[in-house]
Every structure is written in C-alpha cells, then in structure tokens.
Amino acid sequence: MAAEIEGPGETAPVEAVSSWDETPTQLARVRIETSELTAEAAVPASQTHRLLTTILDTLVVLGAVLGPALTLQVVPATFPAGVTAGTIAGQLAMLALVARSVHHRGKSGPLPTD
C-alpha cells in the first residue's frame, strides 16, 4: 500500500508543481493505492488538511470495527475471555492514541523544519 500527496508547498510557486498528467495545478491531490484498489481525491490546496483528517477518521472507524471483529474470528474458543477482552481493549486504546496524536498535531500546527 502506498500513499502520495502532491500539491503546492507554502513556498513553492504553482508552476513548479505538476499533476500526474504533467500539467500545472492549484489542487492538492491525494492518491491511495493497493493491489486491488486505487482511490484519488483532488481538493483546493487550502483544504488538504480537512481531506487528510477525513481520511484519518475513516481509517479509525474501520480499525475500530474491523480490529475487534478480526480478533474474535481468530481467537480459539478455549482462549480465556479476559485475555481476549484485554487484547481488544489494547487495540482500541492504541488506535485512539494514534488518532488523538495526529489530530493534536494538526491543531498545534505543522512540525518545525530545521
């Protein structure tokens, strides 16, 4: 799986950034590819943060649903229920921490570039 973000930077002129068809654009483009699926979205560069936040929220919801469901499918019936519940709780806690970290970073501004 690969993800690519293309669009004008804050200091780059619009002419310096080309789209995938090699024509200049003022749109920020996000493309996510897997072996079975390709998804691409283009939004005005000022809305890129909102698009990426929406993608993150979608992935968090999918993880919150699919993670426990897949765990319950692979756990043998003889496995202790408390350990299974703890594993699922750990998955959800880690997912929440990652989502919170990314959302918090977006609110405090971009990371410093040294």
Side-chain angles (χ1 to χ4, degrees):
M1 181 173 178
E4 181 177 336
I5 301 172
E6 181 178 305
E10 299 204 1
T11 58
V14 173
E15 296 77 31
V17 178
S18 61
S19 68
W20 285 295
D21 359 341
E22 299 301 324
T23 57
T25 179
Q26 293 185 350
L27 297 177
R29 301 176 74 181
V30 176
R31 178 184 286 179
I32 299 174
E33 296 181 20
T34 66
S35 57
E36 299 87 26
L37 174 71
T38 300
E40 182 178 335
V43 297
S46 62
Q47 300 298 316
T48 304
H49 177 71
R50 292 180 69 186
L51 174 65
L52 294 176
T53 301
T54 301
I55 291 170
L56 172 70
D57 291 344
T58 303
L59 291 174
V60 167
V61 169
L62 286 173
V65 171
L66 293 177
L70 293 173
T71 299
L72 290 173
Q73 279 186 343
V74 299
V75 171
T78 59
F79 208 66
V83 175
T84 303
T87 302
I88 291 172
Q91 289 173 337
L92 295 176
M94 187 59 70
L95 195 59
L97 286 173
V98 169
R100 184 172 183 255
S101 170
V102 172
H103 276 288
H104 179 68
R105 184 179 302 152
K107 289 180 183 175
S108 63
L111 295 175
T113 56
D114 293 329

